[in-house]
Amino acid sequence: MAAIFQGDIVLSKIIVVTSGKGGVGKTTTSASFATGLAQRGHKTVVIDFDVGLRNLDLILGCERRVVFDFVNVINGEASLRQALIRDKRVEALSILAASQTRDKDALKPEGVERVLNELAQEFDYIVCDSPAGIEHGAMMAMYFADEALVVTNPEVSSVRDSDRVLGILSSKTRRAEKAQPRVKEHLVLTRYNPARVDKGEMLSVKDVQDILAIPLLGVIPESPSVLTSSNSGVPVISLDHSEAGHAYQDLVARFLGEQREHRFLTVEKKGLFGRLFGT
Amino acid sequence: MNMKISWFNLFKREQKTTASLARERLQVIVAHQRAGRANGLDFLPRLQQELLGVIRKYVTVGDDAIRMNVERDGGLEVLELNITLPEAAGH
């Protein structure tokens, strides 16, 4: 069961998807993670914190249905009910889009907290898609989190940024300030290319795990379907024949407590041709 | 087939791969980042810069004139500060 019941109050979980560095797959991960939770029947809302540069709506294919956004709700210009977009494919999923026009300071802490509290009445999981960087928008996405998916590419600048983000999660969040149990961190390694790892051209899962020293939730292989699924506005987890999609399915299952082996960590077995002529 | 692969790896191991370079560089960077923020002391680099600024009002010193060291002894934390003045300073 996703939610913990205390009397009549549903305690929902707030999960931030963060990375520091841009372009590593935060929004791709947010969209697929939230979709996966909802596909398994958990009431889930995913919020785009990237005020001024929204893109979660595009990845989830609902850009034409955005009328009101997160900042409208914070400012009291629209109700949550008006601003939440119900996903067309997955019933349990809702999206709260970022504002396209205002600047990041529109995310006032009291306002963000009020909206999160209101969402917590209705949803089991609140997924916060953080913008890149460690400016105000990213800090707000992280501040209220119970758990964090730290999205990392096997590449030096991404790993360094992830470590900085881990520092922030352990010192600048509500849990840190109120001396509550620390934010639970999960490593999500994206754009993994086992062939290049074999050649010694790319950091391995183990390298990144050793350096960042947080539990591994999932490894998403580099895959052409991440781009093609974004072209069509369908989160990659919803594709039937995508390795990246299957890896996200596994990731969601593990998050919910299932034991699943990590897949796609090694180079695919070669066919007859490869066996005859390859090394 | 297996022989071939193992020989191949044997030769390859002689030169460092870029991935192992990346790993070594990151280990240093991350150790440094973590030392700075251990127990909430992530202000140390800024403190060092500001102290340098104050000292430079009076004497000319290099960037490495200040050495800082945090020592932990049980529940006690000691911030050790070493400021090296140039030999001619003052007199």
Side-chain angles (χ1 to χ4, degrees):
Chain A
M1 207 43 215
I4 305 155
F5 291 94
Q6 282 194 340
D8 290 323
I9 306 161
V10 179
L11 289 184
S12 61
K13 250 187 201 158
I14 303 176
I15 304 127
V16 62
V17 178
T18 177
S19 71
K21 191 176 182 297
V24 297
K26 273 184 302 296
T27 301
T28 301
T29 299
S30 298
S32 279
F33 179 61
T35 301
L37 290 170
Q39 280 169 343
R40 286 158 175 268
H42 304 291
K43 287 206 74 182
T44 305
V45 59
V46 55
I47 310 174
D48 191 346
F49 273 74
D50 204 346
V51 172
L53 287 172
R54 73 168 172 232
N55 45 32
L56 182 70
D57 53 333
L58 279 174
I59 301 299
L60 284 165
C62 64
E63 69 276 10
R64 299 203 324 199
R65 295 164 59 211
V66 179
V67 182
F68 296 110
D69 57 57
F70 193 16
V71 175
N72 290 140
V73 182
I74 289 176
N75 291 343
E77 295 153 1
S79 69
L80 254 185
R81 201 153 297 284
Q82 289 173 299
L84 283 174
I85 303 165
R86 290 282 291 272
D87 190 81
K88 283 221 165 123
R89 297 173 214 96
V90 188
E91 209 197 309
L93 180 64
S94 295
I95 299 118
L96 188 51
S99 165
Q100 197 58 311
T101 49
R102 325 223 182 187
D103 71 304
K104 290 187 281 288
D105 297 328
L107 296 177
K108 298 182 212 69
E110 316 77 49
V112 174
E113 184 171 22
R114 182 176 50 79
V115 175
L116 290 176
N117 285 341
E118 208 176 319
L119 288 169
Q121 309 285 315
E122 197 182 332
F123 293 95
D124 303 328
Y125 292 104
I126 301 170
V127 179
C128 303
D129 182 22
S130 170
I134 46 176
E135 303 283 310
H136 182 70
M139 297 305 255
M140 278 297 102
M142 283 190 268
Y143 186 77
F144 300 98
D146 300 308
E147 304 199 22
L149 305 194
V150 180
V151 183
T152 308
N153 287 172
E155 174 269 326
V156 283
S157 53
S158 173
V159 176
R160 173 160 75 178
D161 285 3
S162 291
D163 182 66
R164 288 218 55 196
V165 157
L166 290 174
I168 293 168
L169 287 169
S170 66
S171 62
K172 305 268 159 69
T173 51
R174 175 166 67 175
R175 280 174 172 263
E177 284 176 4
K178 302 208 166 160
Q180 291 168 340
R182 54 182 295 138
V183 177
K184 194 173 173 194
E185 298 143 341
H186 307 270
L187 175 61
V188 178
L189 196 58
T190 51
R191 296 206 164 154
Y192 196 65
N193 186 329
R196 300 199 73 182
V197 172
D198 277 4
K199 284 189 213 152
E201 294 174 359
M202 184 181 268
L203 291 162
S204 70
V205 189
K206 188 176 175 299
D207 290 338
V208 180
Q209 250 185 302
D210 286 350
I211 292 160
L212 293 178
I214 58 171
L216 178 69
L217 184 64
V219 180
I220 314 300
E222 189 167 52
S223 158
S225 54
V226 172
L227 176 62
T228 53
S229 73
S230 82
N231 288 342
S232 44
V234 178
V236 70
I237 197 171
S238 296
L239 302 188
D240 288 333
H241 304 290
S242 159
E243 286 193 347
H246 295 162
Y248 275 118
Q249 291 283 2
D250 288 354
L251 178 152
V252 171
R254 276 185 218 109
F255 183 85
L256 295 171
E258 261 179 58
Q259 297 289 326
R260 287 210 187 176
E261 287 275 311
H262 288 279
R263 295 189 275 172
F264 317 116
L265 301 188
T266 49
V267 185
E268 258 179 83
K269 291 215 172 58
K270 286 175 180 162
L272 183 64
F273 186 84
R275 258 184 273 160
L276 285 174
F277 300 104
T279 42
Chain B
M1 187 74 184
N2 280 337
M3 278 285 282
K4 194 174 163 193
I5 287 170
S6 65
W7 276 110
F8 179 68
N9 283 344
L10 200 69
F11 287 120
K12 214 167 82 173
R13 211 157 278 157
E14 284 182 5
Q15 68 189 148
K16 234 180 218 177
T17 63
T18 56
S20 62
L21 274 177
R23 185 176 56 233
E24 283 163 22
R25 290 172 66 209
L26 277 168
Q27 276 162 346
V28 174
I29 294 163
V30 167
H32 193 248
Q33 283 187 162
R34 290 190 177 181
R37 68 181 186 239
N39 289 355
L41 295 178
D42 57 350
F43 58 82
L44 281 184
R46 275 176 291 135
L47 175 64
Q48 184 163 1
Q49 283 310 311
E50 284 182 36
L51 283 173
L52 263 178
V54 173
I55 293 165
R56 279 177 179 155
K57 284 185 183 169
Y58 304 96
V59 283
T60 315
V61 292
D63 284 342
D64 55 354
I66 298 184
R67 294 256 164 76
M68 291 206 281
N69 193 25
V70 181
E71 280 190 36
R72 291 184 188 90
D73 187 11
L76 201 69
E77 264 180 309
V78 179
L79 173 63
E80 194 185 298
L81 198 63
N82 274 305
I83 304 171
T84 316
L85 295 178
E87 279 180 30
H91 306 281

PDB file of all heavy atoms in Angstrom, chain A residues 163-175:
ATOM      1  N   ASP A 163      26.893  15.093  -6.597  1.00  0.00           N
ATOM      2  CA  ASP A 163      27.445  15.116  -5.240  1.00  0.00           C
ATOM      3  C   ASP A 163      27.106  16.439  -4.544  1.00  0.00           C
ATOM      4  O   ASP A 163      26.801  16.455  -3.356  1.00  0.00           O
ATOM      5  CB  ASP A 163      28.960  14.900  -5.276  1.00  0.00           C
ATOM      6  CG  ASP A 163      29.541  14.861  -3.865  1.00  0.00           C
ATOM      7  OD1 ASP A 163      29.205  13.917  -3.128  1.00  0.00           O
ATOM      8  OD2 ASP A 163      30.282  15.792  -3.493  1.00  0.00           O
ATOM      9  N   ARG A 164      27.142  17.531  -5.284  1.00  0.00           N
ATOM     10  CA  ARG A 164      26.770  18.824  -4.693  1.00  0.00           C
ATOM     11  C   ARG A 164      25.308  18.805  -4.262  1.00  0.00           C
ATOM     12  O   ARG A 164      24.936  19.299  -3.204  1.00  0.00           O
ATOM     13  CB  ARG A 164      26.982  19.960  -5.708  1.00  0.00           C
ATOM     14  CG  ARG A 164      28.448  20.245  -5.936  1.00  0.00           C
ATOM     15  CD  ARG A 164      28.712  21.713  -6.102  1.00  0.00           C
ATOM     16  NE  ARG A 164      28.203  22.508  -4.993  1.00  0.00           N
ATOM     17  CZ  ARG A 164      28.041  23.819  -5.030  1.00  0.00           C
ATOM     18  NH1 ARG A 164      28.335  24.482  -6.120  1.00  0.00           N
ATOM     19  NH2 ARG A 164      27.576  24.469  -3.986  1.00  0.00           N
ATOM     20  N   VAL A 165      24.469  18.233  -5.122  1.00  0.00           N
ATOM     21  CA  VAL A 165      23.048  18.133  -4.809  1.00  0.00           C
ATOM     22  C   VAL A 165      22.826  17.285  -3.547  1.00  0.00           C
ATOM     23  O   VAL A 165      21.985  17.612  -2.709  1.00  0.00           O
ATOM     24  CB  VAL A 165      22.300  17.561  -6.036  1.00  0.00           C
ATOM     25  CG1 VAL A 165      21.002  16.924  -5.643  1.00  0.00           C
ATOM     26  CG2 VAL A 165      22.063  18.661  -7.068  1.00  0.00           C
ATOM     27  N   LEU A 166      23.608  16.234  -3.398  1.00  0.00           N
ATOM     28  CA  LEU A 166      23.498  15.407  -2.193  1.00  0.00           C
ATOM     29  C   LEU A 166      23.829  16.236  -0.950  1.00  0.00           C
ATOM     30  O   LEU A 166      23.201  16.085   0.102  1.00  0.00           O
ATOM     31  CB  LEU A 166      24.433  14.195  -2.278  1.00  0.00           C
ATOM     32  CG  LEU A 166      24.046  13.122  -3.296  1.00  0.00           C
ATOM     33  CD1 LEU A 166      25.122  12.046  -3.380  1.00  0.00           C
ATOM     34  CD2 LEU A 166      22.703  12.494  -2.933  1.00  0.00           C
ATOM     35  N   GLY A 167      24.802  17.133  -1.093  1.00  0.00           N
ATOM     36  CA  GLY A 167      25.154  18.029   0.005  1.00  0.00           C
ATOM     37  C   GLY A 167      23.982  18.922   0.382  1.00  0.00           C
ATOM     38  O   GLY A 167      23.692  19.132   1.559  1.00  0.00           O
ATOM     39  N   ILE A 168      23.288  19.441  -0.627  1.00  0.00           N
ATOM     40  CA  ILE A 168      22.132  20.305  -0.377  1.00  0.00           C
ATOM     41  C   ILE A 168      20.997  19.513   0.274  1.00  0.00           C
ATOM     42  O   ILE A 168      20.373  19.974   1.231  1.00  0.00           O
ATOM     43  CB  ILE A 168      21.654  20.962  -1.694  1.00  0.00           C
ATOM     44  CG1 ILE A 168      22.726  21.942  -2.199  1.00  0.00           C
ATOM     45  CG2 ILE A 168      20.327  21.684  -1.498  1.00  0.00           C
ATOM     46  CD1 ILE A 168      22.505  22.416  -3.614  1.00  0.00           C
ATOM     47  N   LEU A 169      20.767  18.302  -0.244  1.00  0.00           N
ATOM     48  CA  LEU A 169      19.680  17.480   0.316  1.00  0.00           C
ATOM     49  C   LEU A 169      19.915  17.188   1.801  1.00  0.00           C
ATOM     50  O   LEU A 169      18.970  17.068   2.573  1.00  0.00           O
ATOM     51  CB  LEU A 169      19.562  16.162  -0.456  1.00  0.00           C
ATOM     52  CG  LEU A 169      18.956  16.250  -1.856  1.00  0.00           C
ATOM     53  CD1 LEU A 169      19.150  14.936  -2.600  1.00  0.00           C
ATOM     54  CD2 LEU A 169      17.477  16.622  -1.796  1.00  0.00           C
ATOM     55  N   SER A 170      21.182  17.097   2.185  1.00  0.00           N
ATOM     56  CA  SER A 170      21.461  16.753   3.580  1.00  0.00           C
ATOM     57  C   SER A 170      21.582  17.973   4.485  1.00  0.00           C
ATOM     58  O   SER A 170      21.720  17.833   5.689  1.00  0.00           O
ATOM     59  CB  SER A 170      22.721  15.903   3.676  1.00  0.00           C
ATOM     60  OG  SER A 170      23.831  16.669   3.274  1.00  0.00           O
ATOM     61  N   SER A 171      21.520  19.183   3.900  1.00  0.00           N
ATOM     62  CA  SER A 171      21.674  20.357   4.773  1.00  0.00           C
ATOM     63  C   SER A 171      20.625  21.445   4.570  1.00  0.00           C
ATOM     64  O   SER A 171      20.343  22.207   5.483  1.00  0.00           O
ATOM     65  CB  SER A 171      23.067  20.962   4.580  1.00  0.00           C
ATOM     66  OG  SER A 171      23.235  21.414   3.253  1.00  0.00           O
ATOM     67  N   LYS A 172      20.033  21.551   3.370  1.00  0.00           N
ATOM     68  CA  LYS A 172      19.173  22.702   3.090  1.00  0.00           C
ATOM     69  C   LYS A 172      17.701  22.328   2.885  1.00  0.00           C
ATOM     70  O   LYS A 172      16.956  23.081   2.297  1.00  0.00           O
ATOM     71  CB  LYS A 172      19.686  23.420   1.821  1.00  0.00           C
ATOM     72  CG  LYS A 172      21.140  23.835   1.887  1.00  0.00           C
ATOM     73  CD  LYS A 172      21.287  25.252   2.424  1.00  0.00           C
ATOM     74  CE  LYS A 172      22.676  25.531   2.982  1.00  0.00           C
ATOM     75  NZ  LYS A 172      23.714  25.571   1.949  1.00  0.00           N
ATOM     76  N   THR A 173      17.307  21.151   3.332  1.00  0.00           N
ATOM     77  CA  THR A 173      15.923  20.748   3.148  1.00  0.00           C
ATOM     78  C   THR A 173      15.154  20.881   4.459  1.00  0.00           C
ATOM     79  O   THR A 173      15.742  21.059   5.523  1.00  0.00           O
ATOM     80  CB  THR A 173      15.849  19.279   2.677  1.00  0.00           C
ATOM     81  OG1 THR A 173      16.639  18.490   3.562  1.00  0.00           O
ATOM     82  CG2 THR A 173      16.373  19.122   1.270  1.00  0.00           C
ATOM     83  N   ARG A 174      13.835  20.788   4.352  1.00  0.00           N
ATOM     84  CA  ARG A 174      13.005  20.885   5.548  1.00  0.00           C
ATOM     85  C   ARG A 174      13.391  19.822   6.568  1.00  0.00           C
ATOM     86  O   ARG A 174      13.505  20.091   7.762  1.00  0.00           O
ATOM     87  CB  ARG A 174      11.524  20.731   5.147  1.00  0.00           C
ATOM     88  CG  ARG A 174      10.580  20.707   6.347  1.00  0.00           C
ATOM     89  CD  ARG A 174       9.148  20.891   5.939  1.00  0.00           C
ATOM     90  NE  ARG A 174       8.642  19.755   5.160  1.00  0.00           N
ATOM     91  CZ  ARG A 174       7.373  19.642   4.774  1.00  0.00           C
ATOM     92  NH1 ARG A 174       6.504  20.590   5.062  1.00  0.00           N
ATOM     93  NH2 ARG A 174       6.980  18.605   4.066  1.00  0.00           N
ATOM     94  N   ARG A 175      13.624  18.599   6.061  1.00  0.00           N
ATOM     95  CA  ARG A 175      14.012  17.512   6.969  1.00  0.00           C
ATOM     96  C   ARG A 175      15.321  17.834   7.690  1.00  0.00           C
ATOM     97  O   ARG A 175      15.471  17.544   8.874  1.00  0.00           O
ATOM     98  CB  ARG A 175      14.139  16.202   6.196  1.00  0.00           C
ATOM     99  CG  ARG A 175      12.786  15.558   5.958  1.00  0.00           C
ATOM    100  CD  ARG A 175      12.896  14.334   5.077  1.00  0.00           C
ATOM    101  NE  ARG A 175      11.607  13.666   5.037  1.00  0.00           N
ATOM    102  CZ  ARG A 175      11.273  12.631   5.797  1.00  0.00           C
ATOM    103  NH1 ARG A 175      12.149  12.107   6.627  1.00  0.00           N
ATOM    104  NH2 ARG A 175      10.075  12.100   5.724  1.00  0.00           N
TER     105      ARG A 175
END
